[in-house]
Amino acid sequence: MTDQLARADNRDFRPRNADQQLRRRARAVIPGGMYGHQSAGPLPPEYPQFMRAGRGARVWDVDGNEYVDLMCSYGPVVLGHRHPAVEAAAAAQAELADCQNGPGPVMVELAELLVGTVRHADWAMFAKNGTDATTMCVTIARAHTGRSRILVATGAYHGAAPWCTPRLAGVTAADRANLGYYTFNDLDSVTAAAAAAGQDLAGIVVSPFKHDAGFDQELVDPAFAAGLRELCTRTGAALILDDVRCGFRLHLGSSWEPIGVLPDLSAWSKAIANGHPLAAVLGCGDYADAAASIFATGSFWFSAAAMAAAIATIGALRAEGAIEAMDRSGSALRAGILQQAAARGIEINYTGPAAMPYLTFAGDRGHELAGTFAAAAIRSGAYLHPRHNWFISAAMTDADLAKVLAATDEAFAAVQLRQHEGRAPQHEGGTT
Ligand SMILES: *Cc1c(COP(=O)(O)O)cnc(C)c1O
């Protein structure tokens, strides 16, 4: 199938007949036709909604168009699509059984592996989605401290439950009553929010770096991270690292290990099982009793195949030097993109770690230029995103990278054209 699909040449862009038909059928039976981050809202109309297949760093839409994948399913795919060792481990487990009356031995093996891999972790619990994990962290922090108030950074994403969803439809004031807000990398704002919480401070949730959708990314100031750690230790509040998006992409351990700051609790999902459904909460020993005291479960939370996939994923990340590979490909992509933009005199911001970059255009508040860029890139076979950070997988080859850079060069040409068109009316008295 791969060879057959690989013949699709994006210059002969296949019309999106199958995609259009599925969208039409979806609108009749799925509210809004699609929901959440998969809804078409933030994406230009050139993007397909429905996907057919993926191998390594390439994906194919339902009409057979091929793309180099720079979104990695919004984070879960880290080793590339259909990684052979991960798929073999999941299939071998599924052949025995997946969803049973009790978990398989892989649950204990995976917990041991995580405790041995992530420095702050003395124990692990498992769930399905990142939202499960962040919500459990908050519940465990409250159970441990007997306090209510949780601090989060303004604009940060921690999931789609009423306590944290970015959309307020259906959310009550009571759902948010025990939250306080701070500004990422601004320790004074944390100190003020902690003071407002007083004796009621249960925990502080923080992302490894600032990766709010649609904004330039900001790496963490190590002094900020150390300040959070100190404040939590002093007040007895839980430091909760939301490693759902970054975990196992930047470091083979929690994402703040390289700066020497260890959280009490951390939330994981996305890359942990290379696309298989799994989330984890990891914690230090002090929080084990509180973690055992909460009622946390789900019908599918003990399924064994995803746990087998996670064991194989973590093994392959290590064996293949995947973290270094993503950093290398990401650095080459960054160098190429910066050079292309400079050559055309286009002012951009290219922010975040090399393996999780994000591109914005100077002054492009409404994301119009980002939309033009993304629409041209997808037509030339690079699947990236105009309003969300991108993800580089370890499967990216030199050929994939060359194809991406050819696509981004065309995309910058499209942006340049649009900028000229935009300026023309001023220069020529509005006649164009
Ligand atoms: C995606 C994400 C979540 C939520 O994970 P889901 O699996 O979508 O529930 C939480 N925190 C961060 C930082 C995320 O990127």
Side-chain angles (χ1 to χ4, degrees):
M1 177 179 61
T2 309
D3 290 345
Q4 189 192 338
L5 286 168
R7 272 191 271 113
D9 179 353
N10 287 92
R11 305 209 168 250
D12 279 328
F13 207 75
R14 295 188 192 184
R16 293 264 174 62
N17 297 334
D19 194 68
Q20 289 304 329
Q21 220 170 63
L22 284 164
R23 284 182 197 238
R24 221 171 10 254
R25 287 165 56 192
R27 279 195 293 274
V29 291
I30 295 169
M34 197 50 60
Y35 42 87
H37 72 291
Q38 300 276 349
S39 66
L43 288 172
E46 284 81 356
Y47 277 70
Q49 175 83 75
F50 294 92
M51 304 302 291
R52 177 176 172 198
R55 286 288 185 288
R58 303 268 173 145
V59 291
W60 291 266
D61 68 23
V62 285
D63 288 290
N65 293 300
E66 178 182 342
Y67 312 94
V68 180
D69 186 11
L70 288 174
M71 286 310 292
C72 294
S73 318
Y74 291 78
V77 169
V78 65
L79 294 162
H81 294 271
R82 306 288 305 167
H83 185 275
V86 174
E87 295 315 311
Q93 177 60 55
E95 185 59 35
L96 292 170
D98 183 18
C99 191
Q100 304 182 76
N101 293 337
V106 284
M107 183 180 188
V108 182
E109 290 164 22
L110 177 57
E112 288 170 347
L113 178 60
L114 287 167
V115 164
T117 304
V118 177
R119 207 184 308 158
H120 82 89
D122 295 317
W123 51 263
M125 292 170 79
F126 300 105
K128 284 288 134 191
N129 279 94
T131 305
D132 301 333
T134 56
T135 303
M136 279 165 74
C137 285
V138 165
T139 307
I140 292 166
R142 287 174 173 153
H144 177 78
T145 57
R147 310 174 194 163
S148 307
R149 175 96 13 170
I150 297 289
L151 307 187
V152 295
T154 308
Y157 186 68
H158 298 300
W163 76 269
C164 54
T165 173
R167 288 251 189 103
L168 292 180
V171 174
T172 68
D175 291 319
R176 304 291 174 101
N178 288 308
L179 293 185
Y181 296 89
Y182 65 88
T183 304
F184 191 87
N185 268 346
D186 177 355
L187 198 54
D188 288 344
S189 72
V190 182
T191 309
Q199 298 300 307
D200 203 28
L201 183 62
I204 302 177
V205 185
V206 64
S207 332
F209 69 92
K210 188 180 170 195
H211 48 42
D212 307 352
F215 292 91
D216 289 334
Q217 304 193 108
E218 205 178 303
L219 298 183
V220 69
D221 174 358
F224 171 74
L228 287 189
R229 177 65 276 173
E230 193 276 325
L231 191 153
C232 285
T233 303
R234 180 162 43 81
T235 58
L239 180 58
I240 301 168
L241 189 66
D242 179 355
D243 232 333
V244 170
R245 194 178 310 182
C246 304
F248 294 140
R249 294 200 100 87
L250 304 178
H251 183 72
L252 203 57
S254 106
S255 296
W256 277 2
E257 283 179 26
I259 58 168
V261 175
L262 305 187
D264 299 301
L265 301 167
S266 56
W268 302 69
S269 187
K270 299 216 162 103
I272 197 171
N274 202 49
H276 289 265
L278 191 73
V281 174
L282 305 183
C284 67
D286 287 351
Y287 285 76
D289 287 346
S293 75
I294 69 165
F295 188 71
T297 190
S299 298
F300 305 102
W301 286 18
F302 301 93
S303 299
M307 295 180 185
I311 294 169
T313 298
I314 295 165
L317 284 167
R318 191 189 304 276
E320 297 175 13
I323 305 285
E324 295 74 17
M326 288 184 276
D327 187 60
R328 244 188 341 266
S329 300
S331 298
L333 179 64
R334 172 162 56 200
I337 283 191
L338 291 180
Q339 191 255 325
Q340 288 173 346
R344 292 182 186 275
I346 299 172
E347 209 181 316
I348 62 166
N349 298 311
Y350 195 80
T351 53
M356 298 174 66
Y358 182 53
L359 169 69
T360 63
F361 294 86
D364 186 32
R365 283 186 210 297
H367 296 270
E368 283 93 7
L369 294 178
T372 298
F373 183 87
I378 194 120
R379 286 197 68 84
S380 299
Y383 195 119
L384 44 78
H385 202 290
R387 298 182 63 110
H388 190 290
N389 75 269
W390 312 342
F391 298 91
I392 315 285
S393 82
M396 180 93 85
T397 63
D398 288 348
D400 295 325
L401 189 62
K403 183 165 167 131
V404 170
L405 285 171
T408 54
D409 202 38
E410 302 231 349
F412 278 124
V415 167
Q416 200 171 28
L417 195 64
R418 180 165 178 160
Q419 281 181 325
H420 282 300
E421 282 168 356
R423 270 199 293 271
Q426 285 165 345
H427 296 316
E428 297 167 21
T431 49
T432 50

